[in-house]
């Protein structure tokens, strides 16, 4: 088996929720949950946090991650994509580590509901499929073919009026990026192959494990979901 590395991007300049990556979430800094999940998989020789913040680096190291470099400022603005951050980490490892990675898993620092089981499943799917990437997806709760557009005068119209009379059960399921983890072969990240393409397989997550966090309302919802999942696990463990 080749060397596996987890890369957790954690920029310090979040505007909507200041210091979101290290804000306390259910008792721990948010990033600690991603680090903990990566550790619990047992898959990674190195868990690296790529950050431009000394404060985030210090906290990440306290919870078991490595911060062998501080991310360059040109890769820490609002317009830098995740692939550029992962590519920089791989290139740093290739230049500074005697054993560069074969497989890399990018894990988001705000993936508070992430489960080690699904990270491991993503790795298995990547190996079995021989694709370049395997990443987390989940299904839309409603059929997107019945989606409505809200116009300036508050009137509505269908995006797909041809499906106005189609039964929901006759429409195709649709999925979206769950924003938790992205497994990939190191050379695929270096070549910047497109993620949303035939190069990838989707690792399907149940909807109750997916919550994007962009606002404080999102944050509160994620904490409620987290506590509910924790109580469910405790009940199952108790038999």
């Amino acid at each position: 088996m080749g060397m596996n590395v987890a890369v957790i991007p954690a920029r310090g300049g979040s505007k909507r929720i200041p210091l979101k990556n290290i804000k306390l979430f259910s008792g721990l800094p948010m990033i600690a949950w991603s680090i903990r999940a990566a550790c619990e998989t047992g898959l990674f020789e190195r868990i690296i946090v790529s950050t431009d913040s000394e404060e985030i680096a210090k906290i990440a190291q306290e919870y078991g991650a490595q911060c062998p470099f501080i991310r360059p400022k040109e890769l820490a603005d609002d317009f830098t994509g995740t692939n550029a951050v992962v590519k920089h980490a791989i290139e740093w490892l290739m230049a500074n580590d005697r054993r560069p990675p074969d497989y890399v898993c990018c894990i988001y620092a705000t993936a508070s509901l992430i489960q080690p089981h699904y990270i491991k499943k993503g790795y298995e799917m990547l190996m079995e499929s021989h694709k370049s990437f395997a990443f987390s997806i989940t299904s839309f709760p409603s059929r997107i073919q019945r989606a409505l557009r809200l116009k300036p005068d508050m009137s509505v119209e269908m995006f797909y009026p041809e499906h106005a009379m189609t039964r929901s059960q006759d429409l195709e399921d649709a999925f979206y990026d769950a924003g938790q983890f992205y497994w990939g072969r190191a050379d695929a990240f270096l070549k910047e192959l497109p993620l949303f393409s035939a190069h990838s397989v989707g690792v399907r997550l149940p909807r109750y494990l997916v919550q994007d966090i962009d606002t404080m309302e999102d944050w509160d919802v994620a904490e409620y979901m987290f506590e509910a999942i924790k109580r469910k696990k405790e009940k199952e463990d108790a038999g």
Side-chain angles (χ1 to χ4, degrees), residues 33-44:
W33 297 110
S34 294
I35 296 170
R36 177 176 289 187
C39 289
E40 289 179 2
T41 66
L43 286 174
F44 302 107

Side-chain angles (χ1 to χ4, degrees), residues 3-61:
M3 177 172 160
N4 298 332
V5 172
V7 176
I8 303 177
R11 189 167 63 92
S14 176
K15 293 183 174 64
R16 285 174 290 191
I17 304 177
L19 294 175
K20 177 170 68 172
N21 294 319
I22 53 175
K23 179 178 168 67
L24 287 183
F25 181 94
S26 194
L28 293 179
M30 172 67 84
I31 196 171
W33 297 110
S34 294
I35 296 170
R36 177 176 289 187
C39 289
E40 289 179 2
T41 66
L43 286 174
F44 302 107
E45 282 85 350
R46 300 186 72 172
I47 299 171
I48 292 173
V49 169
S50 172
T51 183
D52 59 324
S53 164
E54 294 283 359
E55 184 179 8
I56 292 175
K58 181 175 181 294
I59 289 172
Q61 290 173 101

Side-chain angles (χ1 to χ4, degrees), residues 106-120:
C106 172
I107 299 174
Y108 279 169
T110 54
S112 56
L113 306 182
I114 195 168
Q115 305 293 311
H117 164 74
Y118 286 103
I119 300 175
K120 292 167 75 173

